[in-house]
Amino acid sequence: RRFAFDSYRRFIQMYSDVVLCVDLAHFEKLLDRAKRTRGVTSDCDLLAEDLENLVTEYKAKVFDELDVHFPDDPQEQLWGAIGAVFGSWMNQRAKTYRRLNDIPASWGTAVSVQAMVFGNMGDDCATGVAFTRN
């Protein structure tokens, strides 16, 4: 239960930053407050109930900032992430990277969608990557 809520709150934080453009500082403040309330200094010392509360608080922060609910539908999340990749192609960081590496903007960008597994749940877990041209 703890692992699930920790993974989900991390997902909300990163998705909100990358796709929804909500400042990470908002989430860090909420996380710091949860640690102070629990009397701990490490994220790892938060309990499942603390992380569950953070999920609720993170979603509320997204609503406060954007006046829209955090998307719970996986398809909506996927298309949001895909859109963020394509949208980043012409941002200043990408332009600088292309210029420094002599990559023409006309090459465009691509998105690879893959299923992920958790490799950090014990000695019998691992992760890997496989590629196919299809």
Side-chain angles (χ1 to χ4, degrees), residues 75-123:
Q75 290 291 322
E76 183 179 350
Q77 293 167 354
L78 177 61
W79 284 110
I82 290 169
V85 171
F86 287 119
S88 73
W89 182 246
M90 293 307 289
N91 71 23
Q92 192 55 51
R93 184 174 164 210
K95 289 177 184 179
T96 300
Y97 179 84
R98 288 195 301 274
R99 182 178 45 78
L100 292 173
N101 292 282
D102 198 28
I103 299 171
S106 62
W107 283 6
T109 191
V111 174
S112 295
V113 177
Q114 61 187 25
M116 299 296 292
V117 298
F118 296 105
N120 59 344
M121 292 193 63
D123 292 337

